[in-house]
Tab-separated table of all heavy atoms in Angstrom:
chain	number	residue	atom	x	y	z
O	1	PHE	N	168.331	91.285	106.685
O	1	PHE	CA	167.188	91.989	106.753
O	1	PHE	C	165.866	91.230	106.621
O	1	PHE	O	164.893	91.720	106.133
O	1	PHE	CB	167.216	93.174	105.717
O	1	PHE	CG	168.566	93.984	105.784
O	1	PHE	CD1	169.552	93.793	104.887
O	1	PHE	CD2	168.698	94.801	106.910
O	1	PHE	CE1	170.745	94.483	104.969
O	1	PHE	CE2	169.892	95.546	107.000
O	1	PHE	CZ	170.884	95.394	106.048
O	2	THR	N	165.891	89.964	106.978
O	2	THR	CA	164.616	89.267	107.003
O	2	THR	C	163.970	89.490	108.361
O	2	THR	O	164.574	90.006	109.254
O	2	THR	CB	164.875	87.761	106.866
O	2	THR	OG1	165.632	87.297	107.938
O	2	THR	CG2	165.584	87.475	105.516
O	3	THR	N	162.682	89.167	108.439
O	3	THR	CA	161.918	89.466	109.672
O	3	THR	C	162.597	88.710	110.889
O	3	THR	O	162.847	89.276	111.888
O	3	THR	CB	160.450	89.022	109.505
O	3	THR	OG1	159.917	89.737	108.440
O	3	THR	CG2	159.715	89.337	110.777
O	4	ASN	N	162.852	87.454	110.646
O	4	ASN	CA	163.478	86.662	111.729
O	4	ASN	C	164.859	87.247	112.185
O	4	ASN	O	165.167	87.282	113.313
O	4	ASN	CB	163.637	85.242	111.346
O	4	ASN	CG	162.287	84.492	111.229
O	4	ASN	OD1	161.312	84.881	111.833
O	4	ASN	ND2	162.264	83.432	110.487
O	5	HIS	N	165.575	87.725	111.115
O	5	HIS	CA	166.952	88.244	111.431
O	5	HIS	C	166.800	89.542	112.272
O	5	HIS	O	167.529	89.679	113.308
O	5	HIS	CB	167.614	88.654	110.112
O	5	HIS	CG	168.959	89.160	110.316
O	5	HIS	ND1	170.061	88.430	110.336
O	5	HIS	CD2	169.407	90.514	110.423
O	5	HIS	CE1	171.137	89.167	110.544
O	5	HIS	NE2	170.756	90.437	110.542
O	6	ILE	N	165.853	90.346	111.930
O	6	ILE	CA	165.670	91.605	112.700
O	6	ILE	C	165.196	91.274	114.151
O	6	ILE	O	165.635	91.867	115.063
O	6	ILE	CB	164.647	92.524	111.998
O	6	ILE	CG1	165.301	93.020	110.652
O	6	ILE	CG2	164.319	93.719	112.875
O	6	ILE	CD1	164.407	93.817	109.781
O	7	LYS	N	164.236	90.358	114.269
O	7	LYS	CA	163.766	89.981	115.583
O	7	LYS	C	164.954	89.457	116.418
O	7	LYS	O	165.070	89.846	117.613
O	7	LYS	CB	162.718	88.906	115.482
O	7	LYS	CG	161.364	89.427	114.920
O	7	LYS	CD	160.400	88.279	114.921
O	7	LYS	CE	158.976	88.798	114.394
O	7	LYS	NZ	158.030	87.722	114.273
O	8	LEU	N	165.736	88.631	115.819
O	8	LEU	CA	166.907	88.020	116.612
O	8	LEU	C	167.918	89.176	117.040
O	8	LEU	O	168.419	89.183	118.148
O	8	LEU	CB	167.605	86.985	115.739
O	8	LEU	CG	168.860	86.337	116.476
O	8	LEU	CD1	168.469	85.728	117.746
O	8	LEU	CD2	169.498	85.285	115.490
O	9	SER	N	168.143	90.104	116.096
O	9	SER	CA	169.001	91.232	116.431
O	9	SER	C	168.417	92.081	117.609
O	9	SER	O	169.201	92.440	118.479
O	9	SER	CB	169.118	92.125	115.212
O	9	SER	OG	169.621	91.402	114.085
O	10	ILE	N	167.183	92.308	117.627
O	10	ILE	CA	166.600	93.021	118.682
O	10	ILE	C	166.650	92.301	120.020
O	10	ILE	O	167.018	92.879	121.062
O	10	ILE	CB	165.045	93.390	118.353
O	10	ILE	CG1	164.990	94.283	117.225
O	10	ILE	CG2	164.362	93.941	119.576
O	10	ILE	CD1	163.569	94.511	116.721
O	11	VAL	N	166.411	90.994	119.970
O	11	VAL	CA	166.536	90.216	121.235
O	11	VAL	C	167.934	90.246	121.716
O	11	VAL	O	168.182	90.405	122.952
O	11	VAL	CB	166.076	88.753	120.949
O	11	VAL	CG1	166.434	87.829	122.139
O	11	VAL	CG2	164.608	88.662	120.700
O	12	ILE	N	168.855	90.063	120.852
O	12	ILE	CA	170.308	90.044	121.255
O	12	ILE	C	170.661	91.390	121.838
O	12	ILE	O	171.350	91.485	122.936
O	12	ILE	CB	171.249	89.751	120.067
O	12	ILE	CG1	171.075	88.270	119.600
O	12	ILE	CG2	172.706	89.956	120.466
O	12	ILE	CD1	171.835	87.907	118.346
O	13	LEU	N	170.253	92.467	121.256
O	13	LEU	CA	170.594	93.842	121.704
O	13	LEU	C	169.971	94.111	123.045
O	13	LEU	O	170.639	94.645	123.916
O	13	LEU	CB	170.147	94.914	120.681
O	13	LEU	CG	170.478	96.326	121.057
O	13	LEU	CD1	171.930	96.550	121.237
O	13	LEU	CD2	169.993	97.271	119.896
O	14	ILE	N	168.729	93.790	123.216
O	14	ILE	CA	167.970	93.969	124.523
O	14	ILE	C	168.697	93.165	125.607
O	14	ILE	O	168.980	93.671	126.672
O	14	ILE	CB	166.552	93.555	124.402
O	14	ILE	CG1	165.821	94.547	123.542
O	14	ILE	CG2	165.908	93.540	125.807
O	14	ILE	CD1	164.352	94.214	123.250
O	15	THR	N	169.128	91.917	125.293
O	15	THR	CA	169.802	91.103	126.271
O	15	THR	C	171.124	91.715	126.660
O	15	THR	O	171.472	91.821	127.865
O	15	THR	CB	170.089	89.684	125.674
O	15	THR	OG1	168.845	89.134	125.328
O	15	THR	CG2	170.749	88.836	126.714
O	16	ALA	N	171.859	92.261	125.642
O	16	ALA	CA	173.175	92.885	125.959
O	16	ALA	C	173.011	94.137	126.858
O	16	ALA	O	173.753	94.353	127.719
O	16	ALA	CB	173.825	93.177	124.656
O	17	LEU	N	171.999	94.933	126.542
O	17	LEU	CA	171.795	96.126	127.209
O	17	LEU	C	171.300	95.925	128.739
O	17	LEU	O	171.777	96.573	129.641
O	17	LEU	CB	170.698	97.032	126.538
O	17	LEU	CG	171.126	97.620	125.184
O	17	LEU	CD1	169.981	98.335	124.540
O	17	LEU	CD2	172.242	98.562	125.426
O	18	VAL	N	170.454	94.849	128.876
O	18	VAL	CA	170.062	94.540	130.209
O	18	VAL	C	171.238	93.992	131.013
O	18	VAL	O	171.378	94.422	132.203
O	18	VAL	CB	168.946	93.399	130.190
O	18	VAL	CG1	168.715	92.852	131.528
O	18	VAL	CG2	167.651	94.000	129.574
O	19	ALA	N	172.035	93.177	130.379
O	19	ALA	CA	173.185	92.671	131.063
O	19	ALA	C	174.242	93.765	131.459
O	19	ALA	O	174.693	93.803	132.561
O	19	ALA	CB	173.966	91.605	130.160
O	20	MET	N	174.342	94.742	130.540
O	20	MET	CA	175.224	95.819	130.842
O	20	MET	C	174.675	96.744	131.937
O	20	MET	O	175.419	97.165	132.840
O	20	MET	CB	175.424	96.747	129.522
O	20	MET	CG	176.390	97.902	129.761
O	20	MET	SD	176.760	98.737	128.255
O	20	MET	CE	177.798	97.574	127.474
O	21	GLY	N	173.392	96.950	131.928
O	21	GLY	CA	172.771	97.703	133.001
O	21	GLY	C	172.928	97.069	134.367
O	21	GLY	O	173.282	97.758	135.343
O	22	CYS	N	172.770	95.777	134.400
O	22	CYS	CA	172.908	95.078	135.709
O	22	CYS	C	174.309	95.145	136.216
O	22	CYS	O	174.588	95.386	137.384
O	22	CYS	CB	172.500	93.640	135.542
O	22	CYS	SG	170.774	93.342	135.184
O	23	SER	N	175.257	94.938	135.230
O	23	SER	CA	176.628	94.919	135.703
O	23	SER	C	177.183	96.333	136.015
O	23	SER	O	177.989	96.531	136.934
O	23	SER	CB	177.561	94.313	134.642
O	23	SER	OG	177.468	95.007	133.404
O	24	THR	N	176.679	97.358	135.369
O	24	THR	CA	177.035	98.711	135.609
O	24	THR	C	176.639	99.120	136.972
O	24	THR	O	177.438	99.727	137.716
O	24	THR	CB	176.406	99.638	134.611
O	24	THR	OG1	176.841	99.316	133.322
O	24	THR	CG2	176.748	101.063	134.922
O	25	SER	N	175.500	98.698	137.541
O	25	SER	CA	175.033	99.060	138.854
O	25	SER	C	175.913	98.591	139.942
O	25	SER	O	175.966	99.091	141.011
O	25	SER	CB	173.571	98.653	139.008
O	25	SER	OG	173.462	97.258	138.964
O	26	SER	N	176.568	97.488	139.648
O	26	SER	CA	177.471	96.823	140.693
O	26	SER	C	178.914	97.139	140.517
O	26	SER	O	179.691	96.637	141.264
O	26	SER	CB	177.182	95.313	140.627
O	26	SER	OG	177.571	94.828	139.408
O	27	SER	N	179.260	97.942	139.468
O	27	SER	CA	180.777	98.226	139.205
O	27	SER	C	181.120	99.287	140.044
O	27	SER	O	180.403	100.145	140.502
O	27	SER	CB	180.794	98.596	137.696
O	27	SER	OG	180.441	97.469	136.848
O	28	ASN	N	182.469	99.376	140.254
O	28	ASN	CA	183.133	100.430	140.944
O	28	ASN	C	183.090	101.645	139.946
O	28	ASN	O	183.553	101.655	138.840
O	28	ASN	CB	184.614	100.050	141.217
O	28	ASN	CG	185.312	101.129	141.818
O	28	ASN	OD1	184.849	102.280	142.020
O	28	ASN	ND2	186.531	100.831	142.340
O	29	ASN	N	182.480	102.768	140.407
O	29	ASN	CA	182.374	103.887	139.592
O	29	ASN	C	183.665	104.586	139.159
O	29	ASN	O	183.760	105.415	138.330
O	29	ASN	CB	181.403	104.975	140.223
O	29	ASN	CG	179.948	104.538	140.135
O	29	ASN	OD1	179.569	103.779	139.254
O	29	ASN	ND2	179.246	104.987	141.132
O	30	GLY	N	184.732	104.219	139.890
O	30	GLY	CA	186.073	104.711	139.615
O	30	GLY	C	186.864	103.841	138.582
O	30	GLY	O	187.951	104.190	138.268
O	31	SER	N	186.250	102.859	138.054
O	31	SER	CA	186.834	102.074	137.036
O	31	SER	C	185.739	101.343	136.211
O	31	SER	O	184.595	101.330	136.534
O	31	SER	CB	187.765	101.006	137.710
O	31	SER	OG	186.953	100.112	138.508
O	32	ALA	N	186.212	100.756	135.139
O	32	ALA	CA	185.352	99.917	134.283
O	32	ALA	C	185.735	98.525	134.500
O	32	ALA	O	186.991	98.174	134.701
O	32	ALA	CB	185.520	100.376	132.828
O	33	THR	N	184.803	97.620	134.362
O	33	THR	CA	185.074	96.179	134.514
O	33	THR	C	185.184	95.546	133.111
O	33	THR	O	184.205	95.596	132.358
O	33	THR	CB	184.023	95.465	135.278
O	33	THR	OG1	183.803	96.058	136.522
O	33	THR	CG2	184.336	93.937	135.388
O	34	ILE	N	186.397	95.100	132.780
O	34	ILE	CA	186.621	94.473	131.462
O	34	ILE	C	186.587	92.937	131.604
O	34	ILE	O	187.432	92.409	132.375
O	34	ILE	CB	187.958	94.946	130.900
O	34	ILE	CG1	188.143	96.427	131.082
O	34	ILE	CG2	188.167	94.488	129.476
O	34	ILE	CD1	187.115	97.287	130.325
């Protein structure tokens, strides 16, 4: 819960969500890509 820790957590989460969003758009809607 330090300031740097929270900032890093936010950066990691945003990166993960962006990556998921990009991959989701290219995935087959009848399946999930693992």
Side-chain angles (χ1 to χ4, degrees):
F1 307 105
T2 62
T3 300
N4 288 337
H5 180 88
I6 294 173
K7 287 181 179 179
L8 179 56
S9 301
I10 293 172
V11 169
I12 292 172
L13 180 56
I14 291 174
T15 301
L17 290 174
V18 170
M20 182 174 289
C22 292
S23 58
T24 297
S25 63
S26 61
S27 297
N28 181 350
N29 288 331
S31 63
T33 302
I34 313 301

